[in-house]
Amino acid sequence: MKVFVTGGAGYIGSHTVLELLKAGHDVVVVDNLCNSSEESLKRVTRLAGRDIVFYNADIRDEKKLEEIVSKEAPFDATIHFAALKAVGESVSIPLKYYENNVGGTFTLLKVLAAHNCKNIVFSSSATVYGQPQSVPIREDFPTPGCTNPYGWTKLMMEQVFRDVQKADGEWNTILLRYFNPIGAHESGEIGEDPAGIPNNLLPYVAQVAIGRLKELSVFGDDYPTVDGTGVRDYIHVVDLALGHLRAIEKLVEKPGFKIYNLGTGNGYSVLQIIKAFEEASSRKVPYAIKPRREGDIAECWADPALAANELGWKAERGIKEMCRDLWNWQSKNPYGFGKPPAGE
């Protein structure tokens, strides 16, 4: 297949591009590099022994996107990752999230439709479930409202995809609601490299362990969970990438509109994650308990049975492998894909 990947230089995108190349697919990537590095794609091509086509562009730029798609189409499938993704940041600057995530999706769909490229896999999120009625979470659970603007952008985009496919049956759309990706490629060559201070738990933990940050803030220890800290379903990024491969294979069957959870079906608390990472890295991770963070929920993990039954996919890597591979990446690349910031 020839696959168009938006946001393909990012954390999940780069790992997915690598697995696409390894599976023999041809890949065209567009990414504006606002929270990623072209170096990730250079390393991907070295690991795969194959080239990709890369465009440094913003999908909100309709003229530029039209030029790219006109040149490269037709595509057998599109995988749409391009979005801002930090929950806490979205609470602080919601307008930026709505404009980037939702606005970019409008432009992308318009251009793809104009070129009859109507097979798409969308990078959604478990945040669309808001405060779940129970756990584990199934795809048929209601999505009555989200707890933060990031989640709302994903839910809004889901509705856009749903309505577009309903109006035009030529579209085949798969929404992948994934939980908390962590880890890195086993080579240690690619991994998560957030710009600035990390907004997500594991990259922050890794930067504390490597000495770039002083301590981890644990937001809330009074949740009704095993140790009072938030519980999440963490999934290895390579397992997640392989889920995207199974999804584009499903598109060949012209499934119409489908939704799948991608998770392990297991939940781990923040303190359990810290302990697992300390064991993997042989480093202490100092932390301080802070008040609960607005927009967070107590616990969230997946029922991944539908993806197993219909995609033939399930997560193979456990929390030990996730922490091991993350530490391998962080220890080999203490400053990610870049150089030490001034003053470090």
Side-chain angles (χ1 to χ4, degrees):
M1 293 186 188
K2 186 174 185 179
V3 185
F4 186 41
V5 183
T6 72
Y11 175 44
I12 304 168
S14 60
H15 286 81
T16 301
V17 168
L18 176 56
E19 297 304 325
L20 288 167
L21 293 173
K22 287 168 58 180
H25 301 297
D26 296 319
V27 181
V28 177
V29 171
V30 60
D31 197 306
N32 68 0
L33 305 179
C34 72
N35 193 28
S36 59
S37 169
E38 189 176 354
E39 175 63 23
S40 68
L41 295 177
K42 293 177 180 178
R43 296 188 184 189
V44 163
T45 59
R46 289 202 299 269
L47 288 168
R50 297 183 59 213
D51 289 331
I52 63 169
V53 177
F54 171 63
Y55 293 92
N56 182 347
D58 193 314
I59 63 168
R60 294 171 294 175
D61 184 340
E62 186 170 351
K63 181 179 178 181
K64 182 63 176 177
L65 190 62
E66 170 64 31
E67 291 175 1
I68 294 168
V69 176
S70 294
K71 182 178 180 180
E72 299 292 344
F75 301 114
D76 297 292
T78 296
I79 303 178
H80 180 29
F81 291 111
L84 300 173
K85 65 180 183 65
V87 169
E89 184 182 62
S90 77
V91 174
S92 302
I93 49 172
L95 186 59
K96 183 177 181 180
Y97 271 67
Y98 289 115
E99 193 273 336
N100 185 88
N101 294 6
V102 183
T105 299
F106 290 159
T107 305
L108 176 66
L109 288 177
K110 285 168 60 179
V111 173
L112 291 177
H115 292 271
N116 201 36
C117 298
K118 296 183 177 181
N119 295 318
I120 191 163
V121 173
F122 173 55
S123 165
S124 193
S125 168
T127 57
V128 302
Y129 294 112
Q131 183 70 53
Q133 61 186 18
S134 62
V135 287
I137 299 169
R138 298 193 312 270
E139 290 84 350
D140 60 358
F141 275 26
T143 52
C146 298
T147 59
N148 55 77
Y150 165 71
W152 275 114
T153 68
K154 291 294 186 179
L155 190 57
M156 289 177 179
M157 288 186 280
E158 284 197 2
Q159 189 63 45
V160 170
F161 282 109
R162 189 188 306 271
D163 290 340
V164 167
Q165 197 281 328
K166 184 177 180 180
D168 181 356
E170 291 185 359
W171 280 94
N172 294 289
T173 302
I174 294 178
L175 311 184
L176 298 180
R177 292 174 177 167
Y178 34 88
F179 285 65
N180 295 71
I182 63 172
H185 189 262
E186 63 182 2
S187 66
E189 287 296 301
I190 57 172
E192 188 167 11
D193 182 23
I197 302 298
N199 286 289
N200 296 323
L201 175 63
L202 265 297
Y204 205 109
V205 167
Q207 290 193 19
V208 170
I210 204 70
R212 289 186 61 185
L213 296 171
K214 181 180 178 181
E215 67 178 11
L216 172 72
S217 294
V218 177
F219 296 103
D221 65 347
D222 58 349
Y223 287 105
T225 61
V226 61
D227 56 24
T229 63
V231 171
R232 299 291 183 269
D233 187 337
Y234 295 93
I235 177 174
H236 197 294
V237 66
V238 174
D239 280 331
L240 185 59
L242 292 170
H244 291 78
L245 264 68
R246 302 292 85 79
I248 65 167
E249 292 165 0
K250 184 71 173 180
L251 288 174
V252 175
E253 301 175 14
K254 299 188 181 302
F257 185 85
K258 292 284 188 177
I259 300 172
Y260 299 103
N261 287 336
L262 295 187
T264 65
N266 297 305
Y268 295 93
S269 74
V270 175
L271 295 185
Q272 288 171 332
I273 288 292
I274 291 171
K275 181 180 178 181
F277 194 84
E278 288 180 335
E279 291 175 354
S281 65
S282 299
R283 300 281 186 97
K284 290 297 293 180
V285 178
Y287 65 89
I289 303 297
K290 300 292 179 66
R292 293 188 186 189
R293 185 172 55 183
E294 183 180 356
D296 280 347
I297 59 176
E299 53 187 4
C300 179
W301 69 85
D303 180 343
L306 189 63
N309 292 334
E310 295 192 6
L311 299 181
W313 173 92
K314 66 177 181 177
E316 302 288 347
R317 296 159 181 82
I319 196 66
K320 289 184 178 180
E321 291 87 353
M322 298 179 208
C323 291
R324 177 200 66 197
D325 293 343
L326 174 57
W327 178 243
N328 185 37
W329 151 257
Q330 189 69 76
S331 58
K332 287 183 176 179
N333 304 271
Y335 297 96
F337 295 112
K339 298 179 180 179
E344 285 199 38

